[in-house]
Amino acid sequence: MALTTILLTTGLITAVFYDFFRKEILNELKICAEVLQNAGIDSAERRAEMGGAGLNQVRISLIDEQGMVFYDNDVDIGGMDNHKERPEVSDARREGSGQSIRRSDTLDQSAFYYAVLLKDGTILRVAKEASSIWRIFRSAFPVIFLMGVMVFLFCMLLSGRATKMLVAPVEYLADHLDECTEPPVYREMAPFVDRIRRQHEDILKNARLRQEFTANVSHELKTPLAAISGYAELIEHEMASQEDVPRFAGEIHRNASRLLAMINDIIRLSELDVMEADAMVFTQVPLYQMAKACVEMLQVSAGKHQVTLSIRGVPCSILGNREMVEEVLYNLCDNGIRYNAAGGNVAVIVEPEGDKVRLTVEDTGIGIPKAYQERVFERFYRVDKSRSKATGGTGLGLAIVKHIAAQHHAELLLQSEPGCGTRISILFDRANAPDPDRDRKGAALPK
Ligand code: ADP
């Protein structure tokens, strides 16, 4: 930047000075012409008397009415052509005076000219070589160059300092990200530091959650496996009486089913974890129809628990991922049935709400105490562990529901009163586009 500035400034100064000198020289020539005119330069005797004293810096020519040069103090007039058409000469003849800056054919270099018409029709022309200007520039150049170098060095020093000052807090932050003490930041850095710190905390939190999840998974898988292994061992070594064998086989079967259910849920969750929300295909999903199908499918299970499962609302569609919505419906209805009492009810309600659609699953079951209402969405968290296990729960159902709701940017709401029942509702985006072949972003899906 400094270098560019220096070069630009030098260029600009040169231009300004050139203009200034140009005017100055033309003015000088004009005065010179006047002096010469008053001194009677047109008469040969006067010229002889003056002897060219002090005029060697200026070229003086006298041109007659025909344009022939009959006197020149610098060049041999013998070889000179007609000067009638020279711009300054023709101007002087027409207007009394004329000036021009051009290449001189005679001297083969740029020159400044000024010409005046004398009383007897002769034209007096004075000229100065342009090289005089460049000579001034050349003499000024070392000073300009030196100044440029000095400014450049000064700028380097200053920008070096400034850069160090700007970068220091970033370097400090890189080394002390974990420490809570505020780094020495300047005001403009604060949002950046805040954001980095928040992201860093999120990363640490995620790592911790993952670790916890792995530990939980191992633990959760171990329990049914240990049971299966134990019962199988008893049968293997004929330590179980004949009448115990069907019971043990039943236990093995139940634990194996639990294991399978759990592995299915874990796979589902990890799939949801890797899936990027943007990469998901969102289509028009007929929520009411799907809820109805789910209610029909779960009627047997509801019957077993002596629970009445019903649906109400209006047929409407949402923007979503069909498979995921199916999973949400199943998990919520299944929970409503399992955490219910004999003679209880589970109702699925689908209703539009502005440009959204609300899906509600409410039951008259055991409810969730206030203290656990946040935690039931955590992976493997169960309020009543034995009841969850006894009814084939994995502790992952609501975690999956929460995950799917988040990927649909849908609001998830839980209301519950222990002993009275639970209501979980999700607010989905309504599908307005009648064309089911369109995804969320409005682009046509590949066929
Ligand atoms: P689970 O497989 O154990 O049902 P979920 O993640 O579906 O796992 O639910 C977590 C816990 O939340 C359950 O163990 C249960 O204690 C509680 N819960 C979930 N749904 C209900 C409900 N409708 N009524 C009462 N408690 C519920």
Side-chain angles (χ1 to χ4, degrees), residues 332 359-361 377 398 412-415 422-426:
L332 292 182
L359 164 72
T360 310
V361 178
F377 293 103
L398 286 185
L412 177 64
L413 196 76
L414 181 144
Q415 295 160 297
T422 304
R423 172 192 291 163
I424 295 181
S425 73
I426 306 179

Side-chain angles (χ1 to χ4, degrees), residues 331-332 335-336 338-339 363 365-368 376 378 381-384 388 392-399 416 422 424:
N331 282 342
L332 292 182
N335 279 356
R338 286 191 298 120
Y339 301 103
D363 61 59
I366 59 168
I368 304 167
V376 287
E378 287 175 20
Y381 191 85
R382 302 154 174 122
V383 179
D384 180 350
S388 164
T394 59
L396 294 172
L398 286 185
S416 187
T422 304
I424 295 181

Side-chain angles (χ1 to χ4, degrees), residues 118-138:
L118 303 183
K119 273 190 218 92
D120 62 350
T122 306
I123 284 184
L124 164 65
R125 186 184 76 171
V126 280
K128 198 162 183 169
E129 285 168 18
S131 65
S132 54
I133 283 190
W134 297 116
R135 220 176 296 127
I136 294 167
F137 279 129
R138 236 178 288 139

